[in-house]
Amino acid sequence: MPPIELFTAPLCPFAHRARLVIAEKGLSATEVDIDLRNKPAWFLDIAPRGEVPLLRHRGHCVWGAAAIAEYLEEVFPERPLLPQAPAARAKARAWINVADTSLYAATRAMLHSANPGFRMQCALRLEDELRFIQHRVFGQGKRDGRYWFGAELSLTDLAFFPWFEQLAVLERFCGFRWPPECHGLRNWVEAVAARDAVQAIATSAEAYLEAYGGLAATLARAS
């Protein structure tokens, strides 16, 4: 099999999504960490937007977490991570878009703002997003299975999970509070976190807190 190269950054949740897809498909990849504050010229030559994750395979470069996941799903179909029915596949992709445009977009804005009031507004918005997920996914009556769509893990689970792995950062530094009514969602987080492939490449909450400590100090000084 031609080697897979994954260009990544340690704290990037989108890069971690690509790692999770690779791990769940039983693949191996050579990881190359990119310093996002000092990107090498050779990386800018192959990355159209200068962003991670970027995957190189068979002489082709694929960028963007969602596109990388779809590429791996098509090229390595032996362990499918999307439903077979077209309507179910479309639903999975729609939820992935929710992850990208709601959770991750609001979190990025919050983490890069020095305005305490704005950060609190973002935290409250994120709490509402979790309530929405709880209601629409985990609060719709009897469920058959532990994952987003039931018994089988999907790309949707892997798209959302990196956000929850870094949740301690938002709780410690940004005023986020887990909505107490989101029991089903919490059970889902625990189910995904318990998977062997996920545990094998997990980063601890303590490591994330240490890594983001510098950012928190900068925001505190700025505010």
Side-chain angles (χ1 to χ4, degrees):
M1 183 183 73
I4 299 172
E5 293 177 281
L6 182 65
F7 300 88
T8 182
L11 297 180
C12 176
F14 298 102
H16 193 47
R17 185 193 306 183
R19 290 191 202 98
L20 288 170
V21 176
I22 289 169
E24 285 290 348
K25 283 189 166 290
L27 304 171
S28 60
T30 299
E31 291 192 19
V32 181
D33 283 343
I34 301 298
D35 183 349
L36 298 180
R37 291 172 293 185
N38 186 26
K39 301 169 188 175
W42 61 263
F43 178 69
L44 296 175
D45 287 340
I46 64 173
R49 296 180 61 84
E51 297 175 350
V52 298
L54 181 138
L55 183 139
R56 184 159 60 185
H57 181 240
R58 295 177 177 170
H60 302 290
C61 290
V62 183
W63 64 93
I68 289 171
E70 292 273 357
Y71 175 84
L72 293 171
E73 180 72 1
E74 292 184 12
V75 176
F76 303 100
E78 294 79 11
R79 297 188 185 183
L81 290 172
L82 278 176
Q84 291 302 307
R89 294 167 77 89
K91 186 176 181 180
R93 293 182 175 111
W95 274 110
I96 291 169
N97 185 62
V98 170
D100 291 341
T101 59
S102 296
L103 287 186
Y104 290 108
T107 301
R108 177 169 183 161
M110 177 169 57
L111 288 174
H112 289 82
S113 173
N115 184 323
F118 177 75
R119 293 204 302 272
M120 181 55 65
Q121 288 179 2
C122 290
L124 294 174
R125 174 184 166 190
L126 289 170
E127 291 169 20
D128 284 340
E129 288 294 337
L130 296 201
R131 293 186 183 96
F132 170 75
I133 294 170
Q134 169 66 35
H135 173 69
R136 298 297 303 182
V137 180
F138 300 100
Q140 297 289 308
K142 184 178 179 181
R143 286 178 50 80
D144 180 19
R146 299 172 293 173
Y147 303 117
W148 210 268
F149 299 118
E152 300 298 328
L153 187 83
S154 72
L155 292 182
T156 302
D157 296 283
L158 302 182
F160 277 90
F161 182 75
W163 187 88
F164 289 89
E165 188 176 88
Q166 298 193 26
L167 191 58
V169 173
L170 305 186
E171 293 174 330
R172 174 72 63 84
F173 301 125
C174 299
F176 175 86
R177 295 294 179 265
W178 182 279
E181 65 269 32
C182 294
H183 301 295
L185 182 57
R186 187 180 291 279
N187 291 339
W188 167 82
V189 173
E190 293 173 355
V192 178
R195 292 181 64 86
D196 291 342
V198 175
Q199 289 190 353
I201 58 173
T203 299
S204 69
E206 292 75 16
Y208 280 122
L209 290 171
E210 181 179 356
Y212 277 99
L215 174 62
T218 299
L219 292 177
R221 289 194 297 271
S223 61

